[in-house]
Amino acid sequence: MDSPPCIDTVVLQPTPFCNIACRYCYLPSRSDTSTMSLDTVRAVFAAVFASGWSHPWLTVIWHAGEPLVMPVAYYEEAFSLIASLCPPGIEVRHAIQTNGMLIDAAWCALFRRWEVGVGVSIDGPREIHDANRVTRQGRGTYDKTVAGIRCLIDKGIPFHVISVLSAQGLQAPDEMLAFYREVGITDVCFNVEESEGDHVSELFSEGNAEARFRAFLSTFWRKSRESAGIRFLREIDGMLTRILRPDEAAGENSQVQPFGMINVDCHGNVSSFSPELLGLKNADYGDFIVGNIHTDSLQAMRQSDAMRAMHRDIAAGVAACKAECAYFAVCGGGSPINKLTENGSFATTRTSFCDLVQKVPTDLILEALDRLETVLDDDMLVRSAS
Ligand code: SF4
């Protein structure tokens, strides 16, 4: 831990409470109605900005539970407070990941005023979405989520969606594409339902998840480019920037750096590495908490036993990845939460994350580039012969 951290992301948990109860949710405290005080927000950013460790473009992600169960006025005050603490030379960008059910004109006005990056979780057409994304009474949430999305579209607020692909969605690339086009969704990200925390995905017990995702993504990518509608597909367009970069530009992975990300729960407890670690229990690493923002300095947290133990094991995993994995240049050593959940240790390498998030998109892009090269070679041959 010799070189100073470069904090590019702060993940804040304004409340662990969620207004719904998705069947694949791994969050243990989604019924806890505690909230993060503005004093805690102040303490986080006073510490981050005073540390000198902040990246010039600092992303603040309001996540975990459902962030929109907090009132609009809370964010107005929190955003103003952070802006008042922010020193010159640092640009703060806010992002919110929401289930979309509470979005209305007042939320859209806040998003516009503060240029908030908005992500909405929706899993596809009604029968796919409502299979998992349900209320505590088991009722589907499709109508309210689509109403929220339509409000964003009506008000001209840019947004993307994240769709969790369970077995049903993986079989339905055409239906998913038709759904996005019908609603007017242009920017799409997919998360294949994974095992995280206490949640064990059935997809993986059925086997063949990699081949099924590959077939899904290949079809979706091809068909989405055959006509207008989808402008951004994270699994392809996001991966392209990691593949097509100068050799000297290192692939970044802030999830494996101590304080590359700072993750703070509503009580001010601080963690790092994968945000999903916050709230999980583990005796070996002090429940992944390196300190509390009200009582400990970031410098002390960086030197804490929990941080050192996590960094030691995560770094061992990254070193093994670098030694043995052909995808290291685009991946940078993966996601610690997946390694711990699937392999039982941070100091490991391959997980389903590798196959789904790194291998499948990279292989599809490289195959497309190979085909392009063949076409260009044939074209050159024809031109030189004529
Ligand atoms: S793809 Fe998997 S094995 Fe390869 S570098 Fe990433 S985490 Fe490590």
Side-chain angles (χ1 to χ4, degrees):
M1 253 191 290
D2 295 321
S3 52
C6 180
I7 303 168
D8 64 18
T9 307
V10 177
V11 181
L12 297 179
Q13 182 190 63
T15 175
F17 181 75
C18 186
N19 54 343
I20 63 174
C22 297
R23 296 199 163 103
Y24 47 57
C25 180
Y26 61 89
L27 295 173
S29 12
R30 62 189 177 191
S31 296
D32 179 349
T33 55
S34 306
T35 59
M36 178 179 278
S37 70
L38 291 171
D39 276 350
T40 300
V41 175
R42 180 192 302 279
V44 170
F45 287 91
V48 168
F49 294 139
S51 71
W53 295 340
S54 175
H55 193 282
W57 294 282
L58 181 67
T59 301
V60 180
I61 301 176
W62 300 83
H63 203 293
E66 168 49 44
L68 301 201
V69 299
M70 302 290 280
V72 171
Y74 172 85
Y75 290 98
E76 194 67 60
E77 280 192 69
F79 293 173
S80 298
L81 176 59
I82 294 167
S84 73
L85 295 168
C86 184
I90 296 178
E91 188 178 318
V92 171
R93 298 176 288 196
H94 293 283
I96 282 182
Q97 184 64 36
T98 170
N99 60 39
M101 296 168 65
L102 300 172
I103 292 174
D104 61 10
W107 281 110
C108 289
L110 178 94
F111 298 152
R112 182 190 303 286
R113 207 157 39 246
W114 289 93
E115 298 181 3
V116 177
V118 181
V120 181
S121 302
I122 187 162
D123 287 356
R126 180 189 300 279
E127 61 280 11
I128 294 177
H129 179 91
D130 282 350
N132 286 308
R133 299 193 65 84
V134 293
T135 64
R136 283 182 173 70
Q137 293 73 40
R139 286 196 287 276
T141 58
Y142 176 86
D143 288 328
K144 285 190 174 169
T145 299
V146 169
I149 288 175
R150 292 202 195 281
C151 189
L152 290 169
I153 294 171
D154 286 349
K155 302 292 181 191
I157 307 295
F159 70 98
H160 65 269
V161 300
I162 296 181
S163 296
V164 173
L165 292 170
S166 307
Q168 207 182 350
L170 272 180
Q171 290 167 358
D174 296 301
E175 290 86 341
M176 297 289 284
L177 185 55
F179 160 75
Y180 297 132
R181 285 186 169 139
E182 191 261 315
V183 176
I185 293 165
T186 59
D187 293 24
V188 175
C189 313
F190 292 117
N191 286 348
V192 177
E193 186 192 330
E194 291 180 77
S195 298
E196 277 184 329
D198 287 339
H199 173 70
V200 179
S201 167
E202 284 178 21
L203 257 186
F204 294 95
S205 52
E206 291 169 10
N208 245 351
E210 180 188 341
R212 291 154 77 191
F213 180 53
R214 184 190 163 85
F216 173 91
L217 188 60
S218 174
T219 303
F220 188 93
W221 181 24
R222 180 169 43 81
K223 295 198 173 180
S224 70
R225 299 294 146 98
E226 283 172 357
S227 56
I230 303 300
R231 190 176 52 193
F232 176 82
L233 173 56
R234 182 189 64 186
E235 282 52 49
I236 299 299
D237 301 304
M239 182 57 85
L240 263 173
T241 61
R242 298 181 74 85
I243 295 174
L244 302 178
R245 61 183 164 80
D247 285 347
E248 62 275 17
E252 290 175 0
N253 182 1
S254 53
Q255 279 201 50
V256 301
Q257 303 298 334
F259 281 160
M261 307 177 92
I262 287 192
N263 313 313
V264 189
D265 76 9
C266 62
H267 305 294
N269 295 315
V270 177
S271 186
S272 187
F273 310 108
S274 305
E276 298 90 343
L277 294 172
L278 196 57
L280 302 183
K281 300 290 174 199
N282 188 301
D284 291 344
Y285 303 114
D287 293 342
F288 310 107
I289 292 169
V290 296
N292 187 285
I293 202 68
H294 294 291
T295 53
D296 304 298
S297 69
L298 292 183
Q299 288 77 6
M301 294 185 213
R302 187 170 167 242
Q303 302 299 333
S304 66
D305 290 345
M307 181 72 98
R308 287 175 175 278
M310 284 190 277
H311 184 223
R312 177 196 63 217
D313 294 346
I314 289 170
V318 172
C321 284
K322 192 172 184 179
E324 69 185 48
C325 179
Y327 297 86
F328 183 80
V330 293
C331 170
S335 165
I337 178 77
N338 291 79
K339 291 183 177 183
L340 188 69
T341 306
E342 286 187 40
N343 302 336
S345 166
F346 287 135
T348 58
T349 57
R350 196 167 160 186
T351 65
S352 59
F353 166 93
C354 309
D355 299 332
L356 302 172
V357 179
Q358 307 295 340
K359 188 167 181 287
V360 167
T362 302
D363 288 354
L364 286 176
I365 292 168
L366 293 180
E367 286 160 21
L369 290 173
D370 277 348
R371 288 196 297 276
L372 181 64
E373 199 172 3
T374 305
V375 170
L376 289 174
D377 285 349
D378 291 349
D379 191 45
M380 297 279 279
L381 277 175
V382 170
R383 282 169 193 271
S384 59
S386 61

